[in-house]
Amino acid sequence: DAGVTQSPTHLIKTRGQQVTLRCSPKSGHDTVSWYQQALGQGPQFIFQYYEEEERQRGNFPDRFSGHQFPNYSSELNVNALLLGDSALYLCASSLLTGSYGYTFGSGTRLTVV
Amino acid sequence: DAKTTQPTSMDCAEGRAANLPCNHSTISGNEYVYWYRQIHSQGPQYIIHGLKNNETNEMASLIITEDRKSSTLILPHATLRDTAVYYCIVLIIQGAQKLVFGQGTRLTINP
């Protein structure tokens, strides 16, 4: 049973560019959450998607946007990249209430130069 | 902000039990205690969760105090592969939820 799959694993972008990260949830899960993890810090919640709608959002600017597709997969888009956006981006899938736990992918390491 | 307090780091000898404490003094009656761990450069991994009773699974045991203001995660026979950052999180299982991570405890298992 495949867990959460994220692509790409690593990415280098130039300041000002745009990036799209992708996530396929664990089989049976219908909710996808995205987290940003800066070096040495705990993951920070970006937003959560359920039924193709954004259900919750953390304290991130509008440059961060997302989408969920009918097959529950999701994308995270970041526009106008800043050096400070360099981080590990984690996708977690679950049922909406998280009652059976969240399954995380291995993340995408984004470096902005 | 995270609703839990954990020590920044801990050490444990291989083969011994690792006991990781967590304070959650403002926990409400319907909030669960969850534990995740993150091995270097990987995504967080679910370990265990509980409401008020002690819980045990194949990975660990969770001991929650009677007043629910603190808990302890126990890895009964720590191995080098248990070296990781351990996060204690409180969470209501109702509606759309999100995990709020603190700094966690960096556990180092020494040979």
Side-chain angles (χ1 to χ4, degrees):
Chain A
D1 176 30
V4 175
T5 303
Q6 291 189 243
S7 63
T9 56
H10 296 82
L11 200 54
I12 299 175
K13 289 287 190 179
T14 303
R15 191 170 45 183
Q17 285 189 314
Q18 179 263 343
V19 68
T20 297
L21 310 181
R22 296 177 175 82
C23 173
S24 293
K26 180 179 178 179
S27 177
H29 285 177
D30 56 12
T31 303
V32 173
S33 304
W34 288 91
Y35 291 80
Q36 180 195 66
Q37 186 173 25
L39 205 58
Q41 304 295 316
Q44 299 296 307
F45 176 76
I46 302 175
F47 44 53
Q48 181 184 76
Y49 278 84
Y50 172 71
E51 292 187 333
E52 302 180 49
E53 291 187 5
E54 184 181 290
R55 297 289 173 157
Q56 291 192 79
R57 188 178 183 90
N59 188 25
F60 280 81
D62 292 344
R63 298 187 298 108
F64 289 77
S65 63
H67 189 77
Q68 185 180 35
F69 299 93
N71 67 352
Y72 308 119
S73 67
S74 177
E75 290 181 348
L76 164 66
N77 301 291
V78 187
N79 295 321
L81 285 167
L82 304 174
L83 297 179
D85 294 332
S86 295
L88 179 66
Y89 288 85
L90 295 161
C91 171
S93 73
S94 66
L95 298 176
L96 181 62
T97 63
S99 57
Y100 295 99
Y102 295 77
T103 302
F104 283 81
S106 295
T108 294
R109 172 70 64 185
L110 173 65
T111 303
V112 182
V113 297
Chain B
D1 290 340
K3 298 178 64 176
T4 62
T5 304
Q6 301 176 251
T8 303
S9 63
M10 294 182 64
D11 287 88
C12 180
E14 188 179 18
R16 304 296 295 269
N19 296 277
L20 290 86
C22 179
N23 287 320
H24 31 80
S25 58
T26 62
I27 192 170
S28 57
N30 57 354
E31 286 184 310
Y32 285 70
V33 179
Y34 276 76
W35 283 84
Y36 281 78
R37 73 180 182 183
Q38 188 172 24
I39 297 170
H40 183 62
S41 296
Q42 297 182 20
Q45 176 190 25
Y46 167 81
I47 302 173
I48 198 168
H49 75 282
L51 183 62
K52 51 185 175 182
N53 296 321
N54 298 337
E55 302 287 345
T56 296
N57 63 19
E58 65 278 5
M59 290 182 67
S61 295
L62 174 60
I63 308 299
I64 302 174
T65 58
E66 192 169 345
D67 64 6
R68 302 208 327 119
K69 293 185 177 182
S70 65
S71 61
T72 300
L73 178 74
I74 302 172
L75 307 178
H77 304 287
T79 71
L80 298 179
R81 289 177 294 181
D82 292 322
T83 293
V85 177
Y86 287 76
Y87 295 99
C88 170
I89 300 167
V90 294
L91 184 69
I92 297 174
I93 301 180
Q94 179 181 338
Q97 294 302 321
K98 63 184 181 186
L99 295 172
V100 180
F101 290 85
Q103 294 296 317
T105 296
R106 182 170 298 277
L107 175 67
T108 302
I109 306 300
N110 300 306

